Amino acid sequence: MKKVLAKLAVGFGAVAMLAACGGNNDNGNEVNNENDGNNNNGEAASADGDANVVLYSTMQSDGERGAFEEIVADFESENPGITIEANFPGGSYEDQLRVMMAADDLPDLFDTHGWSQLRYGDYTEDLADMDWVENLDPAMDQIIKDDEGKVYTYPLNQAQDGIIYNVDILDEHGIEPPTTWDDFKTALETIRDEGDGTVAPLWIGGGDNWTIAQMVDQMLTPTFITDDDNDYSEELLDGTFDWSKYEWLAEEILSLKENDLLNQDVLTAQFAQTAEIMANNQAAFMFIVGSVGPDATEMNPDTQVGLLPTPAVHEGDDPSWIGGERYTFSVAEKSEVKEEAKQFIDFLAQEENAKKMAEATNLSSALVNVEADTYYSEYYDMYSDLEIEPYFDRVYLPSGMWDVMANTTAELLAGGTPEQAANEMESEYHRLRDQ
């Protein structure tokens, strides 16, 4: 990386509000979406007395969960003495895991979604002795390992977040994929000025306001970290950061709305609309990656969705991917079925299964021996020389700031001022650091 980053956890930004849903896996085992009240750390056993491994995941889409449930069924078929009890709590995942963590009674396997060290580190088993670790992408080292060599979690994939775009719309207006914030704004203005008003230059589903936080979190990195002359990482980590500097970014975001560069319904539009909006050529850019591209193309085979890295803010800086692990599994330190849980992780890490999960989530594998063919592969290859920078909030902000970013920016777009946004960010930053 261009500089030594703090050895802190990074993590999960883009998939925050997950749709709660349930179903059945191919073995007929119930896939739960709520905690049934039983002990979650493996003390429960299946009807025939064999090992029951309780698993909680933040997986979102039907395609992701379908691929995972197929792997679960294959594992159970090969290991008839082990049952994987998979739970997908959706939007209540955070609340459920916080309650379990407070009771020191976490599931046998659970998704740390970017908080493997800072939030869950004291509750996880060290996985350093597992075979898959030797194939871990070095880019993940600072994310899931500490200085002592402890491996906190198994990453099913790794995120490289940027901005997706409608290829045809950019081609229609002769726009090259922008690499700087200034070029990005120019592209938005061109689409506004040359279009007929039916295309939102930048579309955000702010009715689910985590999508607003996603844009802010991505842009904080090039604003305050990656440029050598504007690197405030130490100040952010030690609590001395001057939050008046945040007003610039708040002003830029507000100007997007004031200059008609955002969808008019930015504060009420829903994340569930993203694929349809892109498929119907109603948006040029979105700060959302994930399944939107393949879902839009499935709706409209003529739609081509491109991907570009997060633009550079300061002159002379490079664009960057923003990422880290997306879905993970950690073994609870107090689990009574640790060996069985690790056996399932070993199964997930087999090349065929690791490839299957990477492709189902349309993200790169976190293992160097696995080459996944995903929807965005050509774009990852195109920008393969760029660094992957950790999610800003998972390194430089205290837990709880994601909601603060979402709420303060929504208030800004609803009529607030950049100064108010900066003041609220500052006060909440210090309040949450002191907790």
Side-chain angles (χ1 to χ4, degrees):
M1 291 204 153
K2 292 160 54 172
K3 54 184 62 63
V4 177
L5 292 171
K7 301 287 185 177
L8 298 175
V10 304
F12 185 74
V15 192
M17 300 289 290
L18 308 178
C21 43
N24 294 297
N25 68 18
D26 292 343
N27 267 5
N29 297 310
E30 183 179 0
V31 178
N32 304 303
N33 66 352
E34 294 293 342
N35 178 12
D36 62 4
N38 291 335
N39 190 293
N40 292 299
N41 64 10
E43 292 182 2
S46 57
D48 58 4
D50 294 330
N52 184 62
V53 178
V54 177
L55 174 154
Y56 272 62
S57 174
T58 61
M59 282 183 209
Q60 175 183 2
S61 74
D62 291 340
E64 293 167 348
R65 288 176 46 196
F68 180 73
E69 290 167 13
E70 289 175 4
I71 293 174
V72 168
D74 291 342
F75 175 80
E76 291 179 337
S77 178
E78 293 186 20
N79 300 274
I82 305 174
T83 298
I84 304 297
E85 183 186 326
N87 297 264
F88 303 96
S92 66
Y93 183 91
E94 282 285 343
D95 292 338
Q96 291 193 33
L97 266 289
R98 286 181 188 275
V99 171
M100 295 176 189
M101 186 168 59
D104 199 7
D105 187 27
L106 286 160
D108 304 300
L109 287 169
F110 61 96
D111 187 349
T112 58
H113 56 98
W115 294 99
S116 62
Q117 296 186 53
L118 285 179
R119 181 180 297 169
Y120 298 111
D122 292 339
Y123 301 87
T124 62
E125 184 78 358
D126 186 1
L127 306 181
D129 63 345
M130 299 191 71
D131 291 341
W132 58 266
V133 174
E134 68 182 24
N135 291 317
L136 185 67
D137 188 330
M140 301 294 290
D141 282 353
Q142 70 162 339
I143 297 169
I144 67 168
K145 292 182 181 180
D146 64 19
D147 291 336
E148 304 301 318
K150 177 177 178 178
V151 176
Y152 288 81
T153 196
Y154 167 70
L156 276 75
N157 48 23
Q158 59 177 316
Q160 291 175 252
D161 287 350
I163 303 174
I164 61 171
Y165 60 92
N166 187 302
V167 173
D168 286 341
I169 291 176
L170 265 63
D171 288 347
E172 178 184 347
H173 295 284
I175 298 172
E176 291 293 324
T179 59
T180 69
W181 179 251
D182 286 343
D183 288 345
F184 178 62
K185 289 195 299 180
T186 298
L188 300 181
E189 291 164 356
T190 298
I191 293 165
R192 177 200 62 194
D193 295 342
E194 296 182 358
D196 59 4
T198 63
V199 177
L202 173 61
W203 192 92
I204 300 175
D208 297 307
N209 67 5
W210 68 266
T211 61
I212 300 175
Q214 176 70 23
M215 175 182 64
V216 175
D217 197 64
Q218 284 185 224
M219 292 308 303
L220 282 168
T221 295
T223 304
F224 296 129
I225 303 299
T226 57
D227 182 64
D228 290 337
D229 294 330
N230 295 275
D231 177 7
Y232 298 96
S233 55
E234 292 185 9
E235 292 91 336
L236 285 156
L237 290 170
D238 66 21
T240 63
F241 179 67
D242 177 6
W243 278 94
S244 67
K245 297 181 185 300
Y246 180 78
E247 290 184 30
W248 177 86
L249 182 57
E251 289 170 355
E252 290 294 299
I253 293 171
L254 182 58
S255 74
L256 297 178
K257 181 175 188 294
E258 292 177 337
N259 292 302
D260 296 324
L261 302 177
L262 295 177
N263 47 307
Q264 293 296 312
D265 60 347
V266 60
L267 293 176
T268 57
Q270 300 295 309
F271 170 74
Q273 300 172 252
T274 53
E276 183 178 1
I277 292 291
M278 187 61 77
N280 290 334
N281 299 319
Q282 294 174 304
F285 294 96
M286 294 179 178
F287 273 87
I288 295 292
V289 186
S291 64
V292 176
D295 288 350
T297 301
E298 184 175 355
M299 291 180 181
N300 178 4
D302 293 331
T303 300
Q304 183 181 352
V305 179
L307 174 65
L308 56 92
T310 302
V313 167
H314 303 287
E315 185 176 356
D317 197 15
D318 295 322
S320 54
W321 297 114
I322 309 298
E325 83 277 20
R326 180 57 55 81
Y327 298 134
T328 71
F329 283 118
S330 288
V331 178
E333 194 273 334
K334 290 191 175 181
S335 170
E336 294 192 356
V337 287
K338 290 179 185 177
E339 293 308 310
E340 291 84 355
K342 291 172 76 172
Q343 189 175 342
F344 180 62
I345 288 179
D346 272 331
F347 191 75
L348 285 170
Q350 291 179 11
E351 187 171 347
E352 178 182 355
N353 292 328
K355 182 176 187 293
K356 185 173 187 174
M357 284 311 306
E359 292 179 348
T361 57
N362 278 290
L363 293 170
S364 300
S365 173
L367 305 180
V368 297
N369 62 319
V370 176
E371 185 173 349
D373 182 15
T374 70
Y375 186 89
Y376 304 106
S377 289
E378 67 175 289
Y379 300 98
Y380 293 138
D381 291 343
M382 187 184 306
Y383 300 103
S384 61
D385 60 325
L386 297 180
E387 301 284 357
I388 302 175
E389 299 290 340
Y391 289 113
F392 186 92
D393 68 305
R394 297 309 191 246
V395 175
Y396 302 107
L397 300 180
S399 177
M401 282 296 288
W402 184 268
D403 288 341
V404 176
M405 288 189 294
N407 294 332
T408 58
T409 310
E411 291 166 3
L412 175 70
L413 294 174
T417 69
E419 183 179 8
Q420 290 171 339
N423 288 341
E424 187 168 352
M425 288 286 286
E426 180 178 22
S427 62
E428 288 298 288
Y429 166 81
H430 288 295
R431 182 183 70 81
L432 292 168
R433 276 178 62 90
D434 292 340
Q435 286 185 353

